[in-house]
Amino acid sequence: MTKLDLNGIWQMTGAGYDCTGTIPGSVCSFLLDKGLMEDPYYRQNELEVQKLLGNEFTFSRKFDFTPTGDKVLLCCEGLDTLCDIYINGGHVADTDNMHRTYEFDVTDHLKEGENEIRIVCHPVEPYIREKNAEHRIFGAKESTAGFGHVRKAHCMMGWDWGPRIPDAGIWRNIGLLIPDSARITDFHITQRHEGGKVYVTPFVATDRETDVTVTVKAPSGSAFSIEANKETEIAEPELWWPNGLGSQPLYTFTAEVAEGGNGTARKIVDSREKKLGLRTLKLIREKDRYGESFCHEVNGVKFFAMGADYIPEDNIFSRITPDRTRWLLKQCRDCNFNAIRVWGGGYYPDDFFFDICDEMGIVVFLDMMFACTGIWADDAFMENIRAEIRDNLTRIRHHACLAVISGNNEIEEFFLNREDAELRRMYLDIFEGMIPELIKELCPYVPYVPSSPSTCGHFIDPRNENYGDCHYWQVWHGNKPFTEYRNKFFRYLSEFGFQSFPCEKTVNSFTAEEDRNIFSRVMEMHQRNGSANGKILNYLSATFLYPTDFGTLLYASQLLQAEAIRYGVEHFRRNRGRCMGTLYWQLNDIWPVASWASIDYYSRYKALQYVAKRFYHPVVISCMETGEKTTRPVVMLEPGNPDYETKAQLCVTNDTLEDVTGIAAWALRDRTGKILEEGRTEITVPALSAVWLEEMDFHKTGVENNYMSYEFDVDGQAVSEGTVLFTAPKHFCFLNPGLRAEINGDEITVYADSYAKYVEIDSPDSDFILSDNYFDMNGGKKTVKILEGTPGTISLRSVYDIR
């Protein structure tokens, strides 16, 4: 099979522009690369880009062609979105789905020698308005009304964390295929595990009858051949495990077709390669005394899912590269994540995303690309999305990391207060009819749920915490305190979050100096969640003293976010078995913005990402405390008051496959860090369990001046540690810790004269990632490793500096 790559340099015209650029690419990438557009993420430039993208744009190029067969196919792996395709002036096809791979027979449109292809991209907003006038559908309020009428990444139409920049172009590969020889049309591998043995079947389909060979390269490097379309046992199989539970050995399967013989040399004319991790990966849903379980089981082991929700890494999709995605997923692995949820309002990730998740042991909870919208599905629309689902399931179904498929994000929940019978019927036809039927046909071994969240589908109580996965937003949207998490025992919490501002360097990237007030027009343009800036201040007022400068306010907001998610995750991990997963909202940003992300658009860690590394450690000690900040969030009580509770109970959670024995140590300290009382208990925590220690009562202590530290030591090393206050930080009488630091090679040592909470190591002139940051100190010193970057000028602060 001959392939002619049409990627590369194309011409783009439209809206008065005429320039060249690189495909895969888009209107925005072409103009930005030529310096013809200002940064769309700076200040209010988004508004001008919106106007620009209301125009039609044409992408074109010339190419030479020499016929070598009877048929030629044009393969378009990603056209965004409403497009007309022309070759040599003849109309080939129109497209209306950016999530599909299209193949068109263009034999009659081509000529020998020079040819020209043109792809006209039409603006989507007029189309959406027209369709929504015919059939009005509900949708996320921050987005273009009726966005669900078009099969384009929903978030490009605006979201409560993203801009409204409906870019257009050729966003994935494009080329010609000349099937002048045998072609592999499908290649996937299934696996069966029985009695400790593993059997694989490589299914290979071709467009004509031909000889097919399949070779397997084991993780050890040894190679062997197996027969296509026949089950074969893998000798001495090496099993694939999620991050933290074992290694991720991958077997490489290569299918090849060759032609020749009868006196001519045989030549390989087409080949496909896929990597496979050998494992069983099930979704366990069993009735129990609480309701019904919802947990992943790998190789017979039920494990607690620890991770976050992923959104597109950029609104300009050509900027999402393998290197950029690998870096992001590496942070997940290095911060002890074993799971990630792909949110349904973006796009089906590239092959490299799933390849990297396979390599790093990150299981994927994958939404189909439908989110927060009604769907008006006539016959043509149904066939369109049927082809979309088939394209993508066929592409990704073999991956070891693929743990569960969800039909959509939150659409079932959106119907709670809506009675539109026709939209309900269409919803059921898609998410409880067509998609599960396709999964049964293409990948019946992948678990499916109709929506996230959902209990059992059919609009039956999708918010029930005792069944299915849940999205919980009463902390944040409902203004509940962080401690509200402790009243909940979700079986699997696949979305919950708390906002913060990015750091000052990131804010400076999209603002002018006069914009640097959180209620300025520009700051509110980069905050898409309605009254969220005021909400951050409301939570801040209950927790910290009021910051007196802009940079400290940004820092305090990140501490709030870290505290909120820590409160939830530690509680749910203490109750593992009943709860078996926490995926917080959200991992990353699509542009520089105030949001729920733990890593901002410029790949800078917020406080939450460092804290997540600690609360997702496979072995973690945590404290369930009661005190003034939880029982009396506003009214200050005097120590000794009989209504005043100051209690603490430690818990050690072990999410490894081995029993862990260590010392749980605690100390009641004054604000200098001096120990007033202490205790040590040796405990053994069985594999995949949590062990509680006895509750301690400190009701006679002065809560404004004393705190408790705790740690879990294994073989003399603290594997997990923390501190807890019995009052809100704003009421604790912090001393100036006199923070200072030294850099020695790849290490930074911080010194403190007294207790310091949430010590931040930063630099105004450089970016770096450390082995730990935003940590607590009991005075003394702490040394951290520099993992990435080179620190310049070092700055230090702690909660003491929020004043």
Side-chain angles (χ1 to χ4, degrees):
M1 183 177 65
T2 304
K3 299 179 181 180
L4 177 60
D5 186 1
L6 293 180
N7 290 340
I9 303 302
W10 286 56
Q11 195 82 16
M12 185 189 78
T13 58
Y17 292 100
D18 188 343
C19 66
T20 59
T22 301
I23 294 298
S26 65
V27 174
C28 289
S29 72
F30 270 54
L31 296 179
L32 285 167
D33 289 348
K34 291 296 182 182
L36 299 175
M37 173 191 283
E38 293 187 20
D39 179 0
Y41 302 160
Y42 183 67
R43 302 195 80 205
Q44 300 182 66
N45 288 348
E46 172 197 353
L47 300 177
E48 294 304 313
V49 179
Q50 286 176 17
K51 296 176 186 176
L52 174 70
L53 293 172
N55 292 281
E56 182 177 279
F57 287 86
T58 298
F59 295 83
S60 64
R61 67 161 289 173
K62 295 181 179 179
F63 60 95
D64 290 327
F65 174 72
T66 301
T68 60
D70 298 330
K71 185 177 182 180
V72 184
L73 302 174
L74 174 66
C75 180
C76 309
E77 295 182 11
L79 298 179
D80 184 11
T81 291
L82 302 178
C83 302
D84 278 290
I85 305 170
Y86 300 86
I87 293 180
N88 297 324
H91 187 257
V92 173
D94 58 81
T95 70
D96 58 1
N97 190 331
M98 73 173 289
H99 302 301
R100 286 182 60 181
T101 294
Y102 291 97
E103 283 190 0
F104 303 109
D105 187 337
V106 294
T107 310
D108 295 338
H109 292 274
L110 294 167
K111 61 184 180 180
E112 186 168 3
E114 187 177 79
N115 293 261
E116 183 186 50
I117 181 171
R118 287 189 302 118
I119 297 181
V120 180
C121 297
H122 306 285
V124 295
E125 292 205 347
Y127 175 88
I128 290 171
R129 286 194 295 270
E130 177 184 339
K131 289 293 184 180
N132 209 42
E134 295 173 6
H135 302 289
R136 188 166 299 278
I137 57 175
F138 61 82
K141 63 182 180 181
E142 296 85 2
S143 307
T144 300
F147 66 87
H149 284 294
V150 66
R151 295 307 298 146
K152 180 178 179 66
H154 294 337
C155 60
M156 284 188 175
M157 311 310 299
W159 217 260
D160 60 2
W161 37 256
R164 189 174 296 184
I165 300 179
D167 204 2
I170 306 167
W171 72 287
R172 278 181 170 158
N173 297 328
I174 185 170
L176 296 178
L177 302 176
I178 302 97
D180 47 7
S181 57
R183 176 190 180 194
I184 297 173
T185 56
D186 186 30
F187 176 40
H188 71 283
I189 307 106
T190 62
Q191 53 185 291
R192 181 171 66 87
H193 295 243
E194 184 177 324
K197 297 181 178 181
V198 179
Y199 305 86
V200 298
T201 305
F203 291 97
V204 185
T206 58
D207 65 351
R208 65 193 71 176
E209 190 171 331
T210 186
D211 292 334
V212 178
T213 61
V214 178
T215 58
V216 182
K217 184 177 180 181
S220 64
S222 64
F224 53 93
S225 296
I226 61 175
E227 191 173 338
N229 304 311
K230 182 178 179 181
E231 187 175 78
T232 302
E233 182 183 351
I234 298 293
E236 299 179 354
E238 299 180 52
L239 297 185
W240 181 96
W241 293 88
N243 184 35
L245 294 177
S247 60
Q248 295 79 44
L250 296 173
Y251 289 74
T252 303
F253 288 71
T254 304
E256 296 177 333
V257 295
E259 293 184 348
N262 296 324
T264 62
R266 290 184 64 78
K267 176 184 177 183
I268 296 172
V269 294
D270 198 9
S271 65
R272 298 276 187 94
E273 180 181 289
K274 293 187 183 295
K275 292 187 176 182
L276 185 73
L278 303 180
R279 89 294 181 264
T280 62
L281 187 51
K282 302 176 181 178
L283 181 64
I284 304 301
R285 305 191 68 172
E286 298 174 336
K287 300 295 182 183
D288 58 24
R289 62 194 178 102
Y290 305 113
E292 183 180 78
S293 67
F294 190 103
C295 71
H296 305 299
E297 180 189 272
V298 63
N299 302 325
V301 175
K302 297 173 184 176
F303 68 96
F304 192 103
M306 300 184 286
D309 297 299
Y310 169 88
I311 65 171
E313 295 162 58
D314 208 303
N315 198 90
I316 301 170
F317 280 16
S318 60
R319 291 174 169 176
I320 304 173
T321 64
D323 286 346
R324 184 173 178 180
T325 298
R326 177 173 290 277
W327 182 91
L328 182 64
L329 292 174
K330 180 179 181 294
Q331 308 317 304
C332 295
R333 181 197 65 189
D334 293 350
C335 291
N336 302 308
F337 290 28
N338 61 24
I340 193 168
R341 173 172 169 257
V342 177
W343 171 74
Y347 71 108
Y348 301 94
D350 294 273
D351 292 337
F352 59 74
F353 176 93
F354 296 98
D355 289 339
I356 296 166
C357 287
D358 284 346
E359 293 172 26
M360 296 187 176
I362 302 172
V363 302
V364 178
F365 187 130
L366 176 67
D367 287 354
M368 299 291 95
M369 291 303 119
F370 306 86
C372 304
T373 179
I375 300 172
W376 186 268
D378 58 19
D379 291 344
F381 197 93
M382 287 290 283
E383 288 309 306
N384 192 2
I385 59 177
R386 184 186 303 274
E388 166 193 326
I389 300 296
R390 180 177 293 276
D391 284 349
N392 286 285
L393 290 183
T394 300
R395 177 171 64 89
I396 66 177
R397 58 186 165 177
H398 68 284
H399 283 281
C401 63
L402 189 56
V404 61
I405 292 172
S406 162
N408 65 77
N409 173 78
E410 294 184 350
I411 300 179
E412 181 182 348
E413 187 178 39
F414 262 62
F415 274 104
L416 283 177
N417 300 312
R418 293 177 173 88
E419 296 299 331
D420 191 312
E422 193 68 2
L423 286 179
R424 281 177 173 251
R425 179 190 63 78
M426 292 175 177
Y427 173 92
L428 294 174
D429 287 347
I430 297 169
F431 300 108
E432 300 189 24
M434 182 188 71
I435 295 180
E437 289 169 3
L438 283 170
I439 289 176
K440 184 177 181 180
E441 173 194 346
L442 299 170
C443 48
Y445 41 83
V446 181
Y448 175 74
V449 294
S451 183
S452 179
S454 182
T455 55
C456 56
H458 217 75
F459 312 114
I460 298 172
D461 197 10
R463 293 177 178 167
N464 191 319
E465 67 180 85
N466 294 312
Y467 296 83
D469 71 311
C470 285
H471 296 186
Y472 182 69
W473 286 102
Q474 287 304 303
V475 176
W476 181 256
H477 288 306
N479 296 304
K480 297 286 188 180
F482 305 160
T483 50
E484 185 65 18
Y485 286 124
R486 294 179 177 175
N487 297 323
K488 301 294 180 179
F489 298 89
F490 304 104
R491 309 315 301 266
Y492 190 110
L493 192 54
S494 53
E495 194 176 301
F496 66 112
F498 194 94
Q499 269 206 12
S500 72
F501 299 108
C503 68
E504 203 161 1
K505 282 177 287 190
T506 294
V507 170
N508 291 348
S509 75
F510 65 80
T511 60
E513 187 173 356
E514 63 267 26
D515 302 324
R516 290 165 195 162
N517 182 299
I518 65 169
F519 297 114
S520 71
R521 170 66 173 165
V522 169
M523 286 294 289
E524 290 189 338
M525 281 287 293
H526 289 254
Q527 166 58 278
R528 307 315 275 262
N529 182 222
S531 59
N533 288 355
K535 193 182 296 288
I536 290 172
L537 291 188
N538 180 51
Y539 276 98
L540 188 148
S541 70
T543 310
F544 297 117
L545 297 175
Y546 191 80
T548 54
D549 68 85
F550 184 65
T552 304
L553 173 57
L554 305 184
Y555 163 72
S557 78
Q558 293 195 17
L559 302 193
L560 282 172
Q561 180 188 37
E563 274 288 280
I565 305 306
R566 179 189 67 81
Y567 247 81
V569 171
E570 289 184 348
H571 165 68
F572 297 122
R573 288 193 67 188
R574 288 193 290 264
N575 290 278
R576 70 173 320 285
R578 184 173 181 181
C579 177
M580 288 299 286
T582 54
L583 307 178
Y584 66 77
W585 185 269
Q586 67 207 61
L587 173 64
N588 60 300
D589 275 328
I590 198 170
W591 73 319
V593 64
S595 78
W596 296 270
S598 57
I599 298 178
D600 78 16
Y601 174 77
Y602 292 108
S603 301
R604 295 178 177 127
Y605 277 29
K606 293 183 181 179
L608 172 57
Q609 190 65 31
Y610 282 107
V611 175
K613 185 177 183 179
R614 298 197 290 268
F615 63 58
Y616 278 153
H617 191 280
V619 179
V620 66
I621 187 170
S622 62
C623 181
M624 187 174 75
E625 83 293 346
T626 57
E628 176 264 339
K629 68 174 178 178
T630 60
T631 59
R632 298 289 188 271
V634 179
V635 179
M636 188 66 180
L637 298 176
E638 293 296 327
N641 186 307
D643 293 329
Y644 198 105
E645 290 189 356
T646 310
K647 296 180 180 179
Q649 188 173 15
L650 297 175
C651 180
V652 181
T653 303
N654 175 15
D655 276 299
T656 74
L657 299 180
E658 303 290 336
D659 296 353
V660 175
T661 298
I663 303 294
W666 62 270
L668 182 67
R669 299 172 182 265
D670 68 17
R671 58 186 182 152
T672 70
K674 177 183 175 182
I675 296 175
L676 305 176
E677 296 180 47
E678 62 182 325
R680 295 165 59 85
T681 304
E682 181 175 4
I683 60 170
T684 295
V685 187
L688 307 173
S689 70
V691 171
W692 290 85
L693 281 71
E694 291 186 9
E695 186 177 62
M696 297 171 282
D697 190 343
F698 300 111
H699 73 278
K700 294 183 179 180
T701 190
V703 295
E704 299 98 333
N705 296 292
N706 299 330
Y707 70 99
M708 190 179 85
S709 66
Y710 51 89
E711 62 184 53
F712 187 63
D713 299 334
V714 178
D715 297 329
Q717 297 293 320
V719 298
S720 178
E721 59 188 341
T723 71
V724 64
L725 304 177
F726 298 104
T727 186
K730 66 180 181 178
H731 293 152
F732 190 85
C733 299
F734 288 99
L735 296 173
N736 184 346
L739 297 174
R740 53 208 181 275
E742 294 176 353
I743 301 177
N744 296 292
D746 65 348
E747 294 184 338
I748 300 176
T749 300
V750 179
Y751 299 87
D753 297 330
S754 60
Y755 175 48
K757 192 163 185 63
Y758 278 122
V759 175
E760 177 197 67
I761 306 172
D762 197 14
S763 172
D765 51 21
S766 61
D767 288 317
F768 49 83
I769 295 175
L770 304 175
S771 59
D772 198 7
N773 205 348
Y774 299 93
F775 47 78
D776 299 348
M777 296 180 67
N778 301 309
K781 67 178 182 179
K782 182 179 175 72
T783 299
V784 297
K785 289 279 189 181
I786 302 165
L787 303 180
E788 286 187 27
T790 303
T793 304
I794 291 293
S795 63
L796 301 169
R797 62 182 161 190
S798 68
V799 173
Y800 169 81
D801 297 290
I802 303 176
R803 57 184 59 237

